[in-house]
Amino acid sequence: AMTLVSVSAPSHQQGRIAGTLHTSVLAGNIAGPALGGWIGDQYGHHWTFFLCAALSLAALVAIAVGVEEVDGTRAAASSRERASLAALVRDAGAFLRAGPLRTMVLGVLAVRGGAVLADPILADFIATLRGAGDGRLGTITGLAFGATALATLLVTPVWGRIGDEKGHGRLLGRCGAAAALCLLPQAFVGHVGTLAALRFASGVFLAGVLPSAFGLAASLSPIEQRGAANGFMFASIGLASAIGPLL
């Protein structure tokens, strides 16, 4: 989806488009679990899977009918070459040899990994703070996660627009630095309200990382290679999401 919109949008709107798409993903991540839980409680858990399949099918039909792919965006390669491991290794080597792209991937890996580093121990940490209360730990932990998600949902399109106007590379560095300044004090808080406020603030700046990264990848890549560039970006995010909580 990110590749499809990136090749269809003008170069000066890449960050804005990536931000809008990321916002829709975040909205789904917030609404989906709530709707799935309610469907499961009301009608049985197996109906949740039926609804998920129906929504996916509806998305497929909407895209097939309403989205037209821009001509001239496919790389010139045979189907056998596209499917070969050697082609993947060659593409990875070319991508990582490009200095700015390599630096950007490593930066996103670090920022994303750092952002989720505390997730597995968040509930235990909240239990040591004032204001947690007895019997409310799950709810308060959910609200702490929700504070970051809400901030990201609200400001992601704004960061995408700013990146298009001011430059994605500069915005990426500044958002990463500001997020660090909001994450560090969380180690020293004594009340859950302070933690929630800092997590909201860090979510504001973490929201600028992904639109900036995808906008920068699009601007640094030929249009026929944006799919590969976006693929490596998603790979770095997935790797960070796996390594961060484990550490």
Side-chain angles (χ1 to χ4, degrees):
M2 189 68 75
T3 304
L4 185 59
V5 297
S6 71
V7 300
S8 303
S11 297
H12 65 280
Q13 294 183 356
Q14 291 295 321
R16 187 180 309 179
I17 295 298
T20 301
L21 183 60
H22 186 53
T23 299
S24 71
V25 173
L26 289 169
N29 288 342
I30 294 173
L35 178 60
W38 182 79
I39 292 291
D41 290 340
Q42 295 293 320
Y43 303 105
H45 295 298
H46 61 284
W47 283 103
T48 303
F49 294 94
F50 291 137
L51 177 61
C52 179
L55 290 173
S56 298
L57 179 61
L60 168 64
V61 172
I63 292 170
V65 172
V67 178
E68 182 177 355
E69 188 169 358
V70 178
D71 292 334
T73 61
R74 297 178 179 87
S78 66
S79 59
R80 177 178 296 179
E81 182 183 3
R82 283 197 297 266
S84 69
L85 180 61
L88 176 61
V89 172
R90 185 183 65 249
D91 289 344
F95 183 78
L96 295 177
R97 280 193 298 271
L101 289 172
R102 180 179 64 247
T103 302
M104 181 186 61
V105 168
L106 293 176
V108 170
L109 184 68
V111 173
R112 177 62 182 172
V116 299
L117 201 67
D119 286 359
I121 53 91
L122 187 60
D124 292 336
F125 181 62
I126 289 176
T128 68
L129 303 179
R130 298 189 307 275
D134 296 329
R136 298 188 300 157
L137 184 59
T139 300
I140 293 175
T141 302
L143 291 175
F145 278 108
T148 304
L150 177 62
T152 305
L153 179 67
L154 292 175
V155 301
T156 294
V158 178
W159 285 128
R161 190 175 299 111
I162 293 175
D164 288 335
E165 297 173 355
K166 304 296 184 181
H168 297 292
R170 181 182 302 176
L171 181 64
L172 180 61
R174 291 181 177 179
C175 283
L181 294 177
C182 295
L183 289 166
L184 181 61
Q186 294 179 31
F188 306 103
V189 299
H191 194 278
V192 292
T194 307
L195 178 65
L198 286 171
R199 286 186 63 85
F200 184 90
S202 62
V204 168
F205 295 108
L206 289 170
V209 172
L210 290 185
S212 300
F214 283 107
L216 189 59
S219 65
L220 294 174
S221 305
I223 190 170
E224 70 274 5
Q225 294 181 2
R226 285 181 185 170
N230 283 325
F232 285 116
M233 290 300 304
F234 272 112
S236 67
I237 295 170
L239 183 62
S241 299
I243 294 177
L246 180 63
L247 292 177

